[in-house]
């Protein structure tokens, strides 16, 4: 998988999870992909102050990204 294909697959994953985040007043954006293994995202809106955002990041966002791009090892949130 090329770097561009990887980026597109990660965007597809975020598009899949985004409606769930938006239904709670939040959103997510892709900041970067490092070494084709680490994805940096930014949770936005209501997700920023949410007490369960780390659970959402791991069990929702990371799991969905790994479904589309199995080589990804970790997803981290970069706060604004």
């Amino acid at each position: 998988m090329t770097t561009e294909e990887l980026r597109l697959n990660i965007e597809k994953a975020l598009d899949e999870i985004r409606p769930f985040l938006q239904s709670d007043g939040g959103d997510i954006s892709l900041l970067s992909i490092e070494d084709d293994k680490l994805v940096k995202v930014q949770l936005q809106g209501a997700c920023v102050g949410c007490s369960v955002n780390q659970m959402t990041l791991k069990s929702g966002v990371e799991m969905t990204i790994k479904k589309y791009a199995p080589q990804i090892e970790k997803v981290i949130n970069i706060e604004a």
Side-chain angles (χ1 to χ4, degrees):
M1 187 179 301
T2 68
T3 301
E4 184 57 28
E5 289 170 329
L6 181 62
R7 176 173 286 281
L8 288 172
N9 280 358
I10 292 170
E11 289 287 0
K12 284 181 199 170
L14 295 181
D15 287 345
E16 182 178 310
I17 196 106
R18 188 169 279 120
F20 299 102
L21 299 174
Q22 289 173 339
S23 71
D24 287 329
D27 207 345
I28 191 167
S29 61
L30 175 63
L31 297 180
S32 65
I33 304 163
E34 297 184 5
D35 302 322
D36 291 348
K37 292 182 177 155
L38 172 69
V39 176
K40 292 183 178 179
V41 297
Q42 188 171 72
L43 293 170
Q44 300 164 333
C47 293
V48 173
C50 181
S51 61
V52 294
N53 71 12
Q54 286 307 306
M55 188 176 76
T56 299
L57 191 67
K58 288 290 174 204
S59 63
V61 177
E62 187 171 289
M63 187 178 73
T64 305
I65 286 175
K66 286 180 176 180
K67 181 172 79 173
Y68 284 87
Q71 69 269 47
I72 296 301
E73 295 174 1
K74 190 170 185 179
V75 178
I76 60 172
N77 178 48
I78 305 298
E79 294 188 17

